[in-house]
Amino acid sequence: MSKLTLDQFVAQWTKNASSRQIVSRFEYNVFEFTTLAGNYSKRFFATSFITGGFYKSGRKWEARKSKWGKKFTHPVMTDTGTLRKAIKGEGRQVRLTGWTDARKRLFKRGGVYNIYTDERSLPIRGKRGKSKGYKRYAAIHNTDPRYSNFTVNQYSSRKPVQRQFIGFSKVLDRDIEKFIPILFKGFPGNA
């Protein structure tokens, strides 16, 4: 049994493409897939504020229960829109360098997409915040209260209710699986 080289493998697909072209196309497709999946995820998380709960989880955010909280008439988590607007995403290409077993230098490109929030937790009298502690307001809602030092406002030691709007989701993972064909776009035999 003889070994099949990458060039021979590519030659079976088409006579006009080299292995370098196929690898380059695949690297480009990986970056495109990463960017598309990242942008989709960012919109997925922002939609939580429209649906009133972690999007497609089937659960709404817990309603306000305190006497103080019930005086607010706006929907939960949408007072100023700061959290929804603070969801940011940024994709970038990365170049990885390594060595093969034959001690040949290997270059590989890929994509990274980071989703984060850029809001600041500013103490607002009678609403939220402490002057010390964490500065990111999104963390107050996404962190399990058992593992945080967050409180409902600067005058209380009571823990806030967790109202997650960003994080891991099996539904999101299944949605992103639909983008996998992008990885092979432009390959021989694919559109």
Side-chain angles (χ1 to χ4, degrees):
M1 178 180 238
S2 65
K3 291 185 177 182
L4 183 65
T5 67
L6 182 58
D7 287 327
Q8 291 168 332
F9 180 68
V10 170
Q12 291 177 0
W13 277 345
T14 180
K15 297 186 182 351
N16 298 329
S18 70
S19 59
R20 177 171 274 154
Q21 289 170 318
I22 294 296
V23 170
S24 179
R25 167 53 76 178
F26 185 69
E27 289 175 340
Y28 175 81
N29 290 352
V30 167
F31 179 73
E32 289 297 307
F33 169 84
T34 304
T35 303
L36 183 63
N39 285 333
Y40 183 87
S41 299
K42 186 175 69 169
R43 285 190 309 271
F44 183 95
F45 298 141
T47 304
S48 296
F49 293 91
I50 296 168
T51 62
F54 191 37
Y55 187 52
K56 293 189 177 181
S57 69
R59 293 184 310 270
K60 296 285 186 187
W61 288 322
E62 193 172 320
R64 298 178 191 93
K65 293 181 181 174
S66 71
K67 182 179 175 184
W68 173 82
K70 288 181 181 179
K71 72 179 182 176
F72 296 105
T73 57
H74 60 80
V76 174
M77 304 276 289
T78 59
D79 183 16
T80 62
T82 302
L83 285 176
R84 182 181 56 79
K85 293 174 196 165
I87 298 174
K88 305 292 182 199
E90 97 187 1
R92 62 183 170 84
Q93 284 187 329
V94 294
R95 185 174 293 277
L96 307 169
T97 305
W99 297 90
T100 66
D101 288 342
R103 301 307 299 161
K104 292 183 181 175
R105 196 164 186 108
L106 173 72
F107 292 98
K108 194 166 90 174
R109 289 186 310 181
V112 173
Y113 197 97
N114 295 316
I115 298 175
Y116 57 95
T117 60
D118 69 352
E119 88 303 337
R120 295 305 236 172
S121 179
L122 301 172
I124 298 175
R125 185 172 176 82
K127 284 195 175 184
R128 66 170 183 264
K130 278 188 169 182
S131 57
K132 53 189 171 185
Y134 292 102
K135 299 293 182 197
R136 296 291 184 196
Y137 189 51
I140 294 168
H141 296 288
N142 284 292
T143 304
D144 188 330
R146 296 174 294 181
Y147 306 114
S148 73
N149 64 353
F150 302 124
T151 60
V152 293
N153 64 36
Q154 63 266 38
Y155 306 108
S156 173
S157 60
R158 191 167 41 95
K159 296 285 187 173
V161 173
Q162 181 184 16
R163 294 184 177 105
Q164 184 178 6
F165 63 89
I166 197 169
F168 296 105
S169 167
K170 290 182 180 184
V171 175
L172 177 58
D173 291 345
R174 283 193 301 272
D175 287 353
I176 289 175
E177 283 177 6
K178 296 173 188 166
F179 302 140
I180 289 176
I182 290 169
L183 294 171
F184 302 101
K185 185 177 178 182
F187 276 40
N190 290 306

